[in-house]
Amino acid sequence: MAASHETRARTDAAPVLDYDAIVIGAGISGLYQLYRLRELGLRVRVFEAGTGVGGTWYWNRYPGARFDSESYSYGYSFSQELLEEWNWAEHFAPQPETLRYLNHVADKFDLRRDIQFRSRVGAAHWREETRNWDLTLEDGSRFSARFLITAIGPLSAPTMPRIEGVQTFKGQSCHTARWPHEPVSFEGKRVAVIGTGATGVQTIQEVAKTVGHLTVFQRTPNWCAPLHNGRISEVEMREIRAGYPDMFARCRETFACFLHTPDPRGTFEVTPEEREAFWEKLYGEKGFGIWQGNFRDILVDRKANALISDFVARKIRQRVKDPEVAEKLIPGNHGFGTRRVPLETRYYEVYNQPNVTLVDINETPIERITPTGIKTSAAEYEFDIIIYATGFDAITGSFDRIDIRGVDGLRLKDKWQGGPQTYLGVQVEGFPNMMMLMGPHTALGNIPRSIEYNVEWVTGLIRHMRDHKMTRVEARPEGVASWTEHVRALGEGLLSNEVNSWMTGINTNVDGKQVRTIARYSGSAPAYRARCDEVAAKGYQDLALA
Ligand code: NAP
């Protein structure tokens, strides 16, 4: 390992840098970026806050955590050998299986020797005179590198609710993204879950299997749909393996890199009977089909959206026995699919259990967490365990938590007041040689598919610079202005942009995140790639290279 030191200057004034590139984060994107940069012969260091690889799948060990996209469509596609040797056990892998997979990848490609664990980056400052980034870890050690690559994830800065008394609870309590590594038993316990997003839903349905009594504190219900998970037999795995080339080709063509893509028909172009039959079919199928493979207009046409919302509401009413509880579980302030659809397995049936209570905190707000439980305006509840499934300071939150300063000491956090501004979601004006993987304004969708493209594009740019002996790359102001405007325009007319959620930058637990912003690229993944490919094909002229 290179010694930690401030950037030194050689006699010829060329800096002696610790590394060519520093990658922050050893999740899916950081691991793959390391692999690719090593291929280029670069000296790379990955700093990872956790004690192991995996990122999202390292931190989110909460009960019931699993994929919502098909396992085989989620794994890396870059190595034929890896595809040949890895067998997925379930169509939607549980977190331990995914973490095993990512550990396998790290071992197979001998990635660990360039990863420094237990190393949270506190600050990253640009040095113009030496064209490099100086990083400071939270333990005070310092490192320098030409390139800074952020692989810090769009959903990795967990947020606790701003409720009085959180610290006073004497029982066990935990945010889902900081779940302990040791098993937690719920048997005979009184457990509270706050939050009913995709994480809360997975947690609730798992905890309900063994809990003494479960109380769910719900602020906003979400439109959930069945996952239809199942084990993958040996025969199926053989078929999946044989079909990999076609499957990845399909993921390259679909809107958001999922196996599912919008049906070309409009909701009102078919008869009511055909519509109902189509929705029944989607409701009975695996994964995100009902969200991503639905009629093309359900997320832009209010009437179409109201119809599919009605359909799902009927399903909820059929599945939940107590009509009052059912009504509480049906969203009233947003339509189906306008927030991320949590996929579930017998989630609604949980509320038919006699040992499960749903508390609507709009009716009876939480007043405080007490040493023994939770006090609402109507009652005081005692708990052994409180689970906070309260989500993340999404997309920009993981950047905000690092003191990133660019040219003339400009803080990224200040630059992004009022919403991120980027070029292709990869670069920011005033922050040369910083490349973002899965940053704001990139195509998210089926994340590993987007990651692979993102990493390969960044690698291409760095290769180009190396080949042309260039040491500085920065987004041009006009490029940033036009990309940011393009991203904004793409979001126009999308019902999801009229709704409060992490996707629109809202987090009630974070100062300054109460106003909706456009932080997500909402065009198609193929269109995103076409644009980036074009920039690369023109020799990256749209970037200021020197
Ligand atoms: P989330 O969707 O932001 O949900 C957070 C929940 O906590 C919401 O129900 C929210 O209510 C509630 N909440 C927050 N602060 C609260 C407070 N002060 N008082 C009461 N309730 C509060 O977060 P998430 O469920 O962790 O999911 C985030 C994203 O992670 C998902 O959308 C998905 O993209 C990803 N994810 C993926 C998977 C998967 O692939 N399998 C699984 C889990 C998560 P409001 O809605 O009223 O704000």
Side-chain angles (χ1 to χ4, degrees):
M1 189 181 89
S4 139
H5 62 79
E6 289 188 40
T7 306
R8 295 173 303 243
R10 276 201 219 126
T11 44
D12 61 0
V16 181
L17 301 174
D18 294 326
Y19 302 105
D20 297 314
I22 285 177
V23 178
I24 313 179
I28 298 177
S29 51
L31 291 177
Y32 187 41
Q33 187 66 77
L34 168 59
Y35 173 84
R36 283 290 177 210
L37 291 182
R38 234 194 221 169
E39 265 186 348
L40 285 188
L42 264 56
R43 293 169 306 131
V44 187
R45 192 75 176 159
V46 179
F47 292 114
E48 165 56 53
T51 58
V53 300
T56 287
W57 302 102
Y58 168 89
W59 294 103
N60 288 272
R61 296 164 187 260
Y62 61 84
R66 66 170 65 248
F67 286 159
D68 278 345
S69 2
E70 291 75 1
S71 311
Y72 23 93
S73 79
Y74 193 99
Y76 290 113
S77 71
F78 69 88
S79 161
Q80 189 54 34
E81 227 179 80
L82 180 61
L83 292 169
E84 293 292 339
E85 70 195 14
W86 186 261
N87 293 318
W88 291 103
E90 295 186 41
H91 286 280
F92 301 89
Q95 176 271 340
E97 186 180 354
T98 309
L99 191 58
R100 264 199 313 281
Y101 170 73
L102 293 170
N103 273 288
H104 172 75
V105 171
D107 291 335
K108 179 176 177 62
F109 300 107
D110 187 23
L111 299 177
R112 282 176 221 278
R113 67 183 154 88
D114 290 322
I115 305 174
Q116 187 172 316
F117 294 103
R118 295 187 178 84
S119 301
R120 189 175 285 281
V121 175
H125 295 175
W126 171 249
R127 298 275 172 246
E128 189 64 59
E129 58 287 7
T130 39
R131 293 189 174 179
N132 77 278
W133 284 91
D134 276 355
L135 263 77
T136 310
L137 304 188
E138 281 189 351
D139 68 7
S141 50
R142 298 180 67 178
F143 301 89
S144 58
R146 175 76 66 217
F147 296 105
L148 171 65
I149 299 172
T150 61
I152 51 185
L155 292 158
S156 55
T159 46
M160 289 289 283
R162 294 204 273 203
I163 305 173
E164 216 184 305
V166 165
Q167 302 305 330
T168 64
F169 182 62
K170 295 267 187 284
Q172 201 178 351
S173 65
C174 192
H175 190 285
T176 43
R178 290 293 177 269
W179 199 260
H181 290 209
E182 305 73 44
V184 177
S185 166
F186 304 106
E187 251 166 76
K189 301 266 172 62
R190 298 160 303 175
V191 179
V193 176
I194 302 179
T196 50
T199 302
V201 165
Q202 290 187 335
T203 305
I204 290 161
Q205 66 198 16
E206 187 63 26
V207 171
K209 289 178 184 166
T210 55
V211 75
H213 193 100
L214 172 65
T215 308
V216 175
F217 292 87
Q218 172 188 270
R219 189 165 66 184
T220 311
N222 281 297
W223 296 101
C224 311
L227 175 68
H228 296 299
N229 187 25
R231 293 197 66 78
I232 299 175
S233 68
E234 269 181 46
V235 175
E236 275 176 316
M237 193 60 229
R238 268 202 299 279
E239 285 166 6
I240 289 167
R241 189 167 280 125
Y244 270 140
D246 288 346
M247 191 207 64
F248 287 123
R250 177 166 172 76
C251 289
R252 267 194 298 280
E253 285 161 14
T254 61
F255 191 89
C257 309
F258 291 110
L259 291 175
H260 318 274
T261 205
D263 190 286
R265 295 170 300 171
T267 303
F268 300 101
E269 290 168 13
V270 299
T271 64
E273 294 72 28
E274 281 170 324
R275 198 155 56 220
E276 191 74 8
F278 181 52
W279 285 341
E280 278 295 344
K281 175 177 154 300
L282 291 177
Y283 200 78
E285 284 177 355
K286 288 185 180 58
F288 276 136
I290 195 157
W291 187 32
Q292 296 290 323
N294 214 313
F295 294 119
R296 63 173 155 76
D297 53 1
I298 64 150
L299 301 179
V300 288
D301 179 322
R302 270 171 233 288
K303 287 193 180 137
N305 187 265
L307 275 189
I308 178 68
S309 301
D310 272 358
F311 174 86
V312 181
R314 272 187 274 137
K315 291 289 180 193
I316 298 172
R317 290 187 185 107
Q318 282 162 15
R319 291 173 60 184
V320 178
K321 285 188 187 145
D322 181 333
E324 264 183 49
V325 176
E327 292 314 308
K328 285 184 181 159
L329 289 165
I330 296 171
N333 66 356
H334 67 281
F336 176 82
T338 59
R339 294 171 129 206
R340 160 47 155 94
V341 174
L343 294 183
E344 48 84 25
T345 305
R346 300 190 59 73
Y347 172 66
Y348 290 110
E349 285 72 14
V350 162
Y351 296 97
N352 298 333
Q353 290 181 207
N355 63 341
V356 175
T357 308
L358 178 66
V359 176
D360 180 341
I361 60 172
N362 298 301
E363 286 173 4
T364 56
I366 297 178
E367 289 182 348
R368 57 177 297 119
I369 310 287
T370 69
T372 52
I374 295 177
K375 184 178 180 319
T376 67
S377 59
E380 200 156 343
Y381 301 84
E382 295 205 334
F383 296 113
D384 303 300
I385 302 175
I386 300 178
I387 301 175
Y388 296 101
T390 44
F392 302 90
D393 185 359
I395 305 186
T396 52
S398 46
F399 290 89
D400 290 349
R401 291 183 183 195
I402 304 173
D403 175 19
I404 301 176
R405 295 190 206 186
V407 173
D408 296 331
L410 178 65
R411 278 175 199 270
L412 185 63
K413 196 175 173 180
D414 294 338
K415 172 116 188 150
W416 282 355
Q417 281 284 330
Q421 300 158 45
T422 78
Y423 181 61
L424 305 177
V426 176
Q427 274 225 297
V428 184
E429 185 207 350
F431 295 79
N433 293 8
M434 181 179 93
M435 277 73 134
M436 303 178 291
L437 301 175
M438 292 294 95
H441 295 174
T442 38
L444 297 174
N446 188 6
I447 293 234
R449 303 278 65 77
S450 305
I451 283 175
E452 282 190 339
Y453 180 79
N454 221 195
V455 164
E456 284 157 16
W457 196 88
V458 166
T459 308
L461 171 59
I462 293 178
R463 183 191 301 113
H464 176 87
M465 291 177 68
R466 183 200 62 185
D467 293 350
H468 293 82
K469 305 210 179 333
M470 291 162 168
T471 52
R472 192 183 190 283
V473 58
E474 184 182 354
R476 295 181 197 275
E478 60 274 21
V480 171
S482 81
W483 182 254
T484 303
E485 169 52 25
H486 175 60
V487 171
R488 191 205 57 74
L490 282 171
E492 255 178 28
L494 279 185
L495 298 176
S496 58
N497 283 341
E498 299 172 9
V499 168
N500 288 352
S501 76
W502 68 261
M503 293 189 183
T504 48
I506 298 291
N507 187 316
T508 58
N509 305 307
V510 180
D511 285 333
K513 299 268 167 108
Q514 274 78 50
V515 178
R516 286 185 209 140
T517 52
I518 305 278
R520 257 179 348 129
Y521 171 88
S522 47
S524 77
Y528 174 79
R529 291 193 299 265
R531 183 77 176 257
C532 294
D533 284 348
E534 195 189 328
V535 172
K538 286 197 296 185
Y540 308 95
Q541 284 167 20
D542 293 349
L543 290 160
L545 283 158

